Amino acid sequence: MKSCSVLPLLALSLALAGCATPETRLRTGLHDAGLSQAMATCMADRMVDRLSLVQLRRLSALGSLRDKRMTDLSLDQFLHKVRALKDAEILAVTTSSAAVCALR
């Protein structure tokens, strides 16, 4: 009987973990790209509410940024990589999030 009462809790835990995954992945990806933890957190918080899951996946696919740190990657180069995704909404949300978070 105890195993029956554990299953709903396990399902709830997995569901809640699934909800946090896109923001966590985006925050980690931005940090890996060389952004400070505070900047990555701020941008991910804004972007996850403004982009679809498909767009967030496309943005996190910028794996080539992982090999560079922000000291080696200018803002123009970063935005060039985002622009290469050919999604105007991703570019607009990324640019506005970077601007807002930089001013905080």
Side-chain angles (χ1 to χ4, degrees):
M1 297 237 174
K2 285 189 176 187
S3 63
C4 291
S5 63
V6 172
L7 288 177
L9 291 175
L10 180 60
L12 179 61
S13 297
L14 291 173
L16 290 175
C19 293
T21 299
E23 183 175 355
T24 301
R25 285 183 182 173
L26 180 58
R27 181 177 56 242
T28 301
L30 292 171
H31 183 67
D32 288 349
L35 297 175
S36 70
Q37 188 66 43
M39 183 71 149
T41 299
C42 177
M43 287 180 65
D45 184 50
R46 289 180 47 81
M47 294 168 74
V48 77
D49 293 334
R50 290 166 175 78
L51 297 174
S52 70
L53 287 176
V54 171
Q55 289 171 315
L56 291 171
R57 284 187 192 120
R58 291 187 66 216
L59 187 59
S60 64
L62 294 175
S64 63
L65 294 178
R66 292 182 187 158
D67 298 335
K68 298 186 177 194
R69 299 303 297 172
M70 256 322 178
T71 55
D72 301 328
L73 187 70
S74 72
L75 181 58
D76 185 51
Q77 290 170 322
F78 175 74
L79 292 177
H80 177 75
K81 295 279 190 183
V82 174
R83 204 175 295 121
L85 295 173
K86 298 184 189 285
D87 185 317
E89 188 174 17
I90 292 175
L91 180 61
V93 169
T94 301
T95 304
S96 66
S97 294
V100 167
C101 293
L103 294 175
R104 285 189 180 176

